[in-house]
Amino acid sequence: MFSLANQVAVITGAASGIGAATAKRFASAGADLVLAAYSPDGHDVDAVRAAVTRAGRRVHVVETDVSDTADVEALVGTALSEFGRVDIALANAAIARRKASTALGDEEWNRTLDIDLTGVWRVFRAALRPMTEAGYGRLLATTSTAGAFEAWEEHAHYSAAKAGILGMVRSLAAEVGPRGITVNAVAPGIITTPQTLDSVNSLGADGIAHTGVSQPVRRVGQPDDIAAAYHYLASPDASFVTGHVLLVDGGRMLMRG
Ligand code: NAD
């Protein structure tokens, strides 16, 4: 079920958290992978690479800053030069920096939008050309409950980017559906990853524990909870799902009215 056999996937933010879990899941389902790593963050992409290899799949790691168009073109270009195709593109990389709005200057606003929103667009645009030629594709992006479904104070820039992904996904889905390409997003709730464990910019470990006990499912999410959603949306079985934002939050939004 939901086989990705003989498919090629490109994933950004693949060295940690949700991206790393999704890379492993896609490999187990039969996909070959091109993984974007961003070394300034110091995540161990070699562990992800080794897991993909152990699953018997081929993998290339490409150093990529998603705010750099040439980097993203080279990332997708690697899928084409090494594997001859790109079936799935998951634009997952993002930053979330806490900043009171009175102190949020142009530089930090623009940097966040450049990574979290335009970074998604760069991945989609690069993958659209080969997908259009092939007449098949799965474009996927990680949005958030924040911005898309709820407020996150002192994260106006991040929330604006995540809300922007919804408009991009819906409009693009209408445009490229006739070419056999679907476009979808996943909105994670609270997931235990480096982003959320950062107590300066997000909940931190204590905040995660506190949140977990109040959610309908009585836990916070793990990266594989999101990887499972991507596994379905990336598969040929999801060909009738497009322009959709899949909320994967353990029921968190139910408790917010
Ligand atoms: P994470 O911090 O582990 O992952 C973010 C990844 O993006 C990292 O691998 C990082 O190196 C990469 N990255 C950052 N800047 C980059 C750049 N300029 N170029 C390329 N890569 C860059 O945290 P995560 O939770 O796994 O985040 C994955 C996605 O999930 C993000 O889009 C995040 O906003 C979203 N999200 C997470 C949660 C959560 O609770 N963890 C909730 C909602 C949405």
Side-chain angles (χ1 to χ4, degrees):
M1 195 185 287
F2 308 147
S3 172
L4 302 180
N6 304 316
Q7 305 224 346
V8 173
V10 173
I11 303 176
T12 65
S16 63
I18 290 166
T22 306
K24 293 175 199 169
R25 186 118 183 171
F26 281 8
S28 299
D32 292 323
L33 297 174
V34 177
L35 306 178
Y38 183 64
S39 59
D41 286 344
H43 298 304
D44 181 13
V45 73
D46 286 337
V48 188
R49 187 204 313 256
V52 173
T53 305
R54 274 198 305 278
R57 304 316 312 174
R58 296 176 293 170
V59 57
H60 288 273
V61 175
V62 181
E63 179 66 25
T64 308
D65 180 344
V66 298
S67 68
D68 185 312
T69 297
D71 273 16
V72 175
E73 293 288 332
L75 174 73
V76 174
T78 299
L80 299 174
S81 61
E82 298 296 331
F83 299 132
R85 56 194 291 166
V86 55
D87 303 285
I88 303 158
L90 168 52
N92 167 73
I95 57 170
R97 305 276 188 266
R98 180 180 300 283
K99 183 71 84 168
S101 294
T102 46
L104 181 54
D106 284 357
E107 194 179 333
E108 189 156 5
W109 172 273
N110 288 335
R111 178 73 182 148
T112 301
L113 271 288
D114 203 14
I115 294 168
D116 293 9
L117 182 59
T118 315
V120 172
W121 171 240
R122 290 186 182 96
V123 173
F124 282 7
R125 182 176 56 197
L128 263 173
R129 294 184 208 108
M131 287 178 176
T132 296
E133 278 174 29
Y136 180 89
R138 295 281 180 266
L139 296 176
L140 300 164
T142 310
T143 177
S144 175
T145 53
F149 295 98
E150 65 173 335
W152 192 11
E153 66 277 19
E154 299 185 328
H155 287 82
H157 45 349
Y158 176 85
S159 299
K162 293 303 189 182
I165 288 173
L166 270 58
M168 188 197 311
V169 161
R170 290 170 179 148
S171 293
L172 199 55
E175 183 179 336
V176 303
R179 304 181 214 162
I181 302 167
T182 63
V183 192
N184 291 291
V186 169
I190 306 299
I191 314 298
T192 305
T193 70
Q195 178 177 299
T196 323
L197 286 165
D198 176 348
S199 59
V200 173
N201 295 300
S202 187
L203 292 174
D206 289 348
I208 290 174
H210 180 73
T211 300
V213 295
S214 65
Q215 300 208 125
V217 300
R218 293 293 185 268
R219 67 175 179 89
V220 294
Q222 296 302 318
D224 207 45
D225 291 312
I226 307 304
Y230 276 130
H231 181 184
Y232 167 63
L233 290 172
S235 73
D237 301 82
S239 63
F240 205 55
V241 181
T242 195
H244 188 66
V245 181
L246 181 57
L247 185 59
V248 184
D249 72 340
R252 176 179 167 81
M253 288 305 99
L254 295 172
M255 311 310 288
R256 302 225 155 186

